[in-house]
Amino acid sequence: MMLSFFDQFMSSTHLGIPLMVLALILPWVLLPAPSPRWLNNRLITLQSWFINRFTQQLLLPMNMAGHKWAAIFASLMLFLITLNMLGLLPYTFTPTTQLSLNLGFAIPLWLATVLIGLRNQPTAALGHLLPEGTPALLIPTLIIIETVSLLIRPLALGVRLTANLTAGHLLIQLIATAAFVLLPIMPAVAIMTASILFLLTLLEIAVAMIQAYVFVLLLSLYLQENI
């Protein structure tokens, strides 16, 4: 029974086509295309307002050098939110529950921020590895600790997103299974369990949006340190 709970996270194939590929392509199909008309419809207007507000809040503490990343961060934010939200639908596959995919997003972007810092301000970038005023005896130890903390940043990004979405999906499936089993035995308890499931689904919708925002926000903080 426990194996069936984790079957939803397996990347299966259909007609020889991996579902991972289909799940990654689908969000871009659902997003509305910009219209050349002067008056857009409500969906495009809402999308534009959301992107503008998000970009303003994200790039507010950054200098002008970090504003070049606005399109990357906004696109990544929309992409992750769409993937997370589509994964809450029944009989769908959630690519962001795969650690390999999340690390594929996190490692290149984190590495780009580090390389930008080493290219533009190498002294300041390397200075983060050794706090000012450190005793001489602690210098080797602190350099090792700061280096390890720097290298695990992309791993923390990927694991955080994977763990939160995986835990939410498992909890939803467990409570849904309990409600289905209890329905013929104790209908009242099953109805209460179904109401809990509804509230949990609303919570998972919020988690799906918050985790995408946190992923992009941490990347922007890493960029801010290096520019």
Side-chain angles (χ1 to χ4, degrees):
M1 186 64 180
M2 292 302 296
L3 292 177
S4 64
F5 288 152
F6 290 92
D7 286 344
Q8 59 178 319
F9 305 117
M10 297 176 60
S11 179
S12 56
T13 60
H14 182 67
L15 298 177
I17 302 175
L19 292 182
M20 175 73 78
V21 178
L22 296 177
L24 291 176
I25 294 176
L26 186 59
W28 301 114
V29 178
L30 296 178
L31 292 177
S35 174
R37 297 179 301 177
W38 286 8
L39 295 177
N40 295 324
N41 56 36
R42 293 182 178 88
L43 183 59
I44 296 180
T45 303
L46 181 61
Q47 178 190 8
S48 301
W49 176 84
F50 172 76
I51 293 176
N52 291 334
R53 291 295 299 173
F54 166 74
T55 306
Q56 290 176 4
Q57 293 296 325
L58 192 65
L59 302 181
L60 187 62
M62 291 188 181
N63 53 26
M64 294 302 298
H67 292 183
K68 300 176 182 179
W69 289 62
I72 297 177
F73 286 153
S75 301
L76 182 62
M77 174 76 173
L78 287 176
F79 187 59
L80 290 178
I81 285 180
T82 309
L83 286 178
N84 296 344
M85 298 289 285
L86 289 177
L88 295 175
L89 298 176
Y91 303 105
T92 56
F93 174 71
T94 312
T96 45
T97 56
Q98 305 295 315
L99 181 60
S100 58
L101 177 69
N102 295 332
L103 290 180
F105 286 139
I107 292 178
L109 293 173
W110 164 82
L111 186 60
T113 61
V114 174
L115 293 179
I116 287 176
L118 292 176
R119 185 192 64 178
N120 296 338
Q121 43 182 10
T123 304
L126 296 176
H128 292 302
L129 302 179
L130 185 62
E132 186 178 356
T134 304
L137 293 177
L138 297 178
I139 288 178
T141 304
L142 282 180
I143 290 178
I144 295 175
I145 293 175
E146 292 296 330
T147 303
V148 172
S149 66
L150 178 65
L151 295 177
I152 65 174
R153 282 181 173 182
L155 181 62
L157 281 176
V159 170
R160 180 185 295 106
L161 183 58
T162 304
N164 282 281
L165 295 180
T166 303
H169 282 65
L170 285 176
L171 193 56
I172 287 177
Q173 186 170 2
L174 286 171
I175 296 179
T177 304
F180 182 76
V181 172
L182 291 174
L183 185 59
I185 304 173
M186 293 179 289
V189 179
I191 293 175
M192 293 179 58
T193 307
S195 62
I196 296 175
L197 178 62
F198 175 74
L199 296 177
L200 180 62
T201 303
L202 296 179
L203 178 62
E204 283 303 311
I205 293 175
V207 169
M209 301 179 65
I210 291 173
Q211 289 303 316
Y213 176 75
V214 169
F215 189 91
V216 178
L217 178 63
L218 290 178
L219 282 175
S220 67
L221 294 178
Y222 299 157
L223 177 65
Q224 178 65 21
E225 290 182 359
N226 292 282
I227 58 174

